Structures are given as structure tokens and as C-alpha cells.
Amino acid sequence: KVTEQIHLPVQSGSTRILQIMNRKYTREKYLQIIREIREKIPGVAITTDIIVGFPGETESDFTDTLTLCEEVGFDSAFTFIYSNRNNTPADKMANQIPDEVKHERFTRLVEVINRRAYDKNAEYIGGVYDVLVEGTSKNNETVLTGRTRSGKIVNFEGDVHSVGKTIGIKIN
């Protein structure tokens, strides 16, 4: 029994880079897990963590990450540019990626993540969803904010007495 939101860090879409990172899974295994989750939890939202520019990452490795993101269609992702940390195995690796390459790849990755997240959010339009009302919006005190069971933030007009309750909200 789980809620309809799972955070499953992938780090990279390249099996080669995952091995260098000392991860114990492959791209194929990750995609298999995603398929199984989606089969067992209809409507699940999947979020992840991705690192761009790990030492030795080639354009081909990065393309593997982009295509994985396209295929999975993450609801959101925490994206990071690799930065050296002293006295770590990665800090001592050859083939450090130049900052300008890391930033360019990061921009491309964020574009894919945002586009696919937009597509996933658009699927909610017209539906009615249970929303746990958390309080007033940070940007507008006359608007309430809450989250769906899949972790989507929803802003809506409503009674402040609804805070702490779960109510049905139609997404427009």
C-alpha cells in the first residue's frame, strides 16, 4: 500500500555512467522497474534525481539520459550539475567535463524534463482529484493550496476552514 507518488533516483540514463558511479542497476533494469510500478499503481507520479556532467560522460551517454527521460516522462526531476568534491573517487577521475559543456547539457535536460512534466500535468485537466488542503498560497492569501495523492500542487479558491481536510477539486 503506497500513495501514488514515487521518487526513484536514476542519476544517469547511461548504463556505462551508472557503472562508473558504482550504481548497482542498469538503464534496462531501471526502465523495467518503472514499467512494473506503472502496471501496479495506475496514475502514479514518478520523480527522480539526475546528475549531468559526471566525469567521462560522453555526448552519447548524455543522449541516453535524454532518451530515458523522454521514455519515462517524469512528473518532475531534481537535476544537478556534477561538481567536484575533494577526496572522492570521482574527483580523481580523468575526463572531467568542462563547465560550459555541463551547463549546455543541463539546459537541454531541463527542457526535456519540463516539457514531459507539462504533458503529465495536462492529463489532470478536467478531472476531479482528492486534494489535501495545506493552507493559503504563498503568493496569494485569498487562494488555498494543497496536494493530490500523486503530490501535484493545486491552487484553488476555497474556505480556509478546509485546511487539513481532503476535498475534491476539479482541475481546470
Side-chain angles (χ1 to χ4, degrees), residues 28-58:
E28 293 73 23
K29 180 65 176 173
Y30 185 88
L31 289 170
Q32 176 189 345
I33 291 168
I34 294 294
R35 284 190 295 274
E36 290 173 6
I37 289 170
R38 291 216 163 114
E39 283 176 16
K40 293 177 181 174
I41 310 170
V44 67
I46 299 176
T47 59
T48 196
D49 299 335
I50 301 172
I51 298 170
V52 172
F54 194 80
E57 180 186 72
T58 65

Side-chain angles (χ1 to χ4, degrees), residues 10 17 29 33 45 56 64 71 74 91 102 106 135 143 153 159:
V10 69
I17 294 297
K29 180 65 176 173
I33 291 168
D64 285 348
E71 183 173 342
F74 293 107
D91 183 46
K102 289 192 270 190
F106 181 81
V143 173
I153 296 173
D159 183 350

